[in-house]
Amino acid sequence: SIKVQDILTASQQQPVPQGSYQCVSCCHIFPMLSLVKTHIQNSSQEGYSCKVYYCRLKALWKKEQKAQEAAAP
């Protein structure tokens, strides 16, 4: 499940107009965070694979976090 925090973390890397949010997968810009989340959840119906992208990105973040925790003394 993609959470708002996942969207915010991914979008911190992208410059967008202030007060807007960008889907990092398809680069669409939305005026509200809730619209980005709805877009991601329904992306396959819109012809995009944004949900797959965010799920894969989240899995990679978890894998990286586990590797960092294992490397810590």
Side-chain angles (χ1 to χ4, degrees):
S1 173
I2 302 299
K3 295 183 171 55
V4 170
Q5 186 59 40
D6 301 324
I7 298 167
L8 290 174
T9 301
S11 65
Q12 287 176 349
Q13 309 299 322
Q14 304 295 323
V16 293
Q18 189 170 3
S20 299
Y21 302 91
Q22 182 177 24
C23 173
V24 180
S25 178
C26 69
C27 299
H28 280 91
I29 297 176
F30 299 88
M32 296 180 349
L33 187 57
S34 61
L35 294 176
V36 179
K37 186 172 182 181
T38 300
H39 160 75
I40 292 168
Q41 291 171 338
N42 300 322
S43 63
S44 62
Q45 296 169 358
E46 298 171 12
Y48 297 101
S49 59
C50 303
K51 186 173 183 176
V52 173
Y53 175 86
Y54 275 92
C55 287
R56 186 69 187 131
L57 185 62
K58 188 173 182 177
L60 289 172
W61 286 338
K62 285 183 179 182
K63 184 177 179 180
E64 182 179 294
Q65 183 180 15
K66 286 181 182 179
Q68 287 176 353
E69 289 173 356

